């Protein structure tokens, strides 16, 4: 998706994989009376979980070059927090049967996945809207550096990353027929 459609393709791929993950979770809950079917669905679910994690970290490096470690940590911690919250809501009490908790977890996954639609990079766009065509990768990645830091070379890695990001996105077609 990234090779052909750039960042917008990455976001769509992430949304699709996580949505399928949620749907498979719902099906797993519905298949409560068939162990073989539950196991097949669980394997497919697990594959989409791993694919979603990979797709997530295919987007993360592009959020902030300067704060990559912070962004990566927040995304990882957010996933762990989401898991703990889900476990507490659906599996720590007697309120839900296990199969109901699994189904509701699938609905929760799908609901949280809708947030991907709000991710928007000014120069590349998001799932639904193209980039603004005025913001450059250098504007985006180097704006967190002061002029003094730029003069001292502290932003050199960010400029290099911006150039590489621009080159990787340069030939991607935009939805209006132009190139991004």
């Amino acid at each position: 998706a990234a090779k052909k459609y750039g960042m917008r393709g990455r976001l769509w791929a992430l949304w699709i994989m996580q949505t399928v993950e949620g749907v498979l979770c719902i099906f797993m809950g519905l298949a409560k009376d068939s162990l073989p079917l539950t196991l097949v669905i669980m394997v497919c679910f697990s594959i989409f979980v791993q694919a979603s994690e990979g797709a997530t970290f295919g987007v993360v490096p592009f959020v902030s070059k300067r704060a990559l470690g912070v962004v990566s940590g927040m995304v990882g911690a957010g996933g762990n927090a989401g898991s703990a919250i889900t476990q507490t809501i659906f599996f720590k009490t007697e309120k839900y049967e296990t199969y109901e908790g699994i189904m509701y977890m699938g609905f929760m996954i799908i609901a949280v996945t809708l947030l991907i639609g709000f991710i928007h990079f000014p120069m590349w766009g998001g799932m639904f809207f193209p980039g603004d065509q005025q913001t450059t990768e250098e504007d985006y990645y180097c704006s967190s550096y002061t002029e003094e830091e730029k003069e001292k070379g502290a932003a050199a890695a960010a400029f290099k990353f911006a150039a590489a990001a621009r080159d990787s996105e340069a030939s991607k077609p935009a939805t209006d027929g132009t190139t991004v």
Side-chain angles (χ1 to χ4, degrees):
K3 271 188 176 179
K4 189 169 183 179
Y5 299 106
M7 181 56 68
R8 296 179 76 192
R10 287 175 193 246
L11 294 172
W12 274 105
L14 174 58
W15 180 82
I16 290 167
M17 284 184 260
Q18 279 195 202
T19 301
V20 170
E21 172 188 330
V23 169
L24 287 168
C25 205
I26 294 166
F27 287 162
M28 192 170 13
L30 293 172
K32 66 181 182 347
D33 296 326
S34 172
L35 181 60
L37 181 58
T38 300
L39 290 174
V40 168
I41 294 171
M42 186 185 302
V43 168
C44 294
F45 167 76
S46 180
I47 290 168
F48 277 91
V49 168
Q50 298 302 313
S52 295
E53 290 170 358
T56 298
F57 284 95
V59 173
V60 164
F62 295 95
V63 174
S64 171
K65 175 62 179 158
R66 185 169 195 171
L68 178 58
V70 173
V71 173
S72 296
M74 294 294 285
V75 169
N80 290 333
S83 173
I85 291 167
T86 302
Q87 292 295 315
T88 301
I89 293 171
F90 300 127
F91 302 104
K92 288 282 188 185
T93 67
E94 306 271 330
K95 186 175 180 179
Y96 303 105
E97 292 289 328
T98 302
Y99 74 90
E100 290 176 309
I102 291 171
M103 281 181 16
Y104 293 145
M105 183 171 67
F107 289 120
M108 187 177 191
I109 291 167
I110 293 168
V112 171
T113 299
L114 294 173
L115 296 173
I116 295 170
F118 294 103
I119 299 173
H120 183 86
F121 292 88
M123 62 283 192
W124 300 318
M127 285 176 60
F128 303 109
F129 302 104
D132 64 19
Q133 304 300 318
Q134 286 94 20
T135 304
T136 66
E137 285 78 358
E138 285 81 2
D139 294 336
Y140 182 76
Y141 291 113
C142 300
S143 64
S144 61
Y145 293 90
T146 65
E147 289 303 318
E148 184 179 322
E149 288 175 317
K150 289 176 187 175
E151 289 172 12
K152 289 182 179 179
F159 278 109
K160 192 176 194 179
F161 183 82
R166 182 186 54 251
D167 292 344
S168 72
E169 294 287 323
S171 62
K172 310 301 181 280
T175 56
D176 62 0
T178 63
T179 55
V180 176

